Structures are given as structure tokens and as C-alpha cells.
């Protein structure tokens, strides 16, 4: 992830935030369409879940230029998610749903450069989460 990638992600996320509730609902609708079995991992309060999602993404996006501080938090998040039943194969549909949702929210502002920056960012964060879920401490 380059400095430019970080800026693309941070600037594009700022454009999404004013519609964060609708964007979160769109994300979960797409996620459950891609993998209906994932619905069982979530509580019935999807509004609260959407708020948690956008808070988590916001915090991660703000800290992208401080990976030394961000990655330990992401590792902990990965371990917690493993405890909720999240498995490695779930990260693919989540990434697909995230990119699709960003494309819907940003429309023409979801340029190839912005998309690539989000792909790189999700790759780093999801890989960190998957690795922490596999560590003995997560078991």
C-alpha cells in the first residue's frame, strides 16, 4: 500500500460517510445475497451492526498511515471474529460486497485507482485478520 493508495481510500471514505447508514444496509444486503449462510453470524439488529461496521472501517481508514498501531488492533479483531464463527472463506464475499458497495456509493468517483487502493487495503487488513485467527492465541 502506497501513500497514494492511503489517500485514495481516505478521501473516498469521507465521501461515503454522509450516507453511512444506507451504505451499511447496502453492504449487508449484498453480503447476504453472495453468501446467505453468513446471516446466521449476525444478530437481528442490523442497524446496530451497520453502525459497528462503519465505525470500524472509519477507524481503520483514519489509521492507515500508522500501520504499526493499526495492525495489532486488526489482529485482535480477527481473533474476536474467529470466536464468532468467521472462517477464512468468509473474507472473499466480504471483500466482494465491500467493493460492490463502494462502487454503488461512489459511482463515477470509484475510479480504477480508487478501486485498486481499496483492494490493496482490504487485502492487508483481511490477511492480518485471517492470520490472527489461525494463531494459537485465537484458539
Amino acid at each position: 500500500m502506497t501513500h497514494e493508495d492511503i489517500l485514495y481510500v481516505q478521501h473516498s471514505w469521507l465521501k461515503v460517510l454522509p450516507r453511512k447508514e444506507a451504505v451499511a444496509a447496502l453492504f449487508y444486503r449484498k453480503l447476504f445475497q453472495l453468501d446467505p449462510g453468513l446471516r446466521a453470524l449476525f444478530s437481528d439488529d442490523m442497524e446496530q451492526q451497520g453502525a459497528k461496521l462503519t465505525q470500524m472501517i472509519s477507524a481503520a481508514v483514519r489509521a492507515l498511515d500508522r500501520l504499526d498501531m493499526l495492525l495489532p488492533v486488526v489482529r485482535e479483531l480477527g481473533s474476536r471474529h474467529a470466536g464468532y464463527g468467521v472462517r477464512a472463506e468468509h473474507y472473499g464475499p466480504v471483500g466482494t460486497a465491500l467493493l460492490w458497495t463502494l462502487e454503488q456509493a461512489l459511482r463515477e468517483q470509484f475510479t480504477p485507482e480508487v478501486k485498486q487502493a481499496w483492494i490493496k487495503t482490504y487485502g492487508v487488513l483481511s490477511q492480518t485478520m485471517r492470520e490472527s485467527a489461525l494463531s494459537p492465541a485465537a484458539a
Side-chain angles (χ1 to χ4, degrees):
M1 229 178 357
T2 67
H3 178 68
E4 191 173 66
D5 292 328
I6 292 169
L7 291 177
Y8 278 130
V9 168
Q10 289 175 333
H11 290 142
S12 62
W13 185 246
L14 287 175
K15 294 172 185 170
V16 170
L17 276 178
R19 300 182 314 273
K20 64 185 177 187
E21 292 86 4
V23 168
L26 193 62
F27 167 81
Y28 284 113
R29 208 166 27 254
K30 183 65 172 179
L31 180 63
F32 300 149
Q33 178 186 35
L34 291 169
D35 188 342
L38 290 176
R39 181 63 184 92
L41 297 177
F42 295 91
S43 73
D44 288 334
D45 189 348
M46 291 310 295
E47 204 170 294
Q48 181 184 30
Q49 186 62 43
K52 289 178 183 179
L53 173 73
T54 56
Q55 288 169 357
M56 180 197 66
I57 294 173
S58 293
V61 165
R62 277 193 309 271
L64 283 176
D65 54 356
R66 298 181 309 277
L67 283 180
D68 59 321
M69 294 174 62
L70 175 60
L71 292 183
V73 175
V74 172
R75 283 185 196 99
E76 170 59 31
L77 186 64
S79 294
R80 277 200 324 266
H81 277 71
Y84 302 147
V86 175
R87 296 187 314 266
E89 62 267 21
H90 295 148
Y91 287 91
V94 169
T96 300
L98 176 63
L99 292 172
W100 181 86
T101 301
L102 290 166
E103 183 176 17
Q104 302 309 302
L106 294 167
R107 301 200 181 271
E108 67 279 348
Q109 295 174 16
F110 195 65
T111 64
E113 296 82 8
V114 170
K115 182 177 182 177
Q116 280 302 101
W118 275 99
I119 289 170
K120 290 178 190 176
T121 299
Y122 182 73
V124 168
L125 299 179
S126 65
Q127 184 62 34
T128 301
M129 289 177 73
R130 282 192 297 255
E131 288 170 358
S132 71
L134 295 174
S135 73

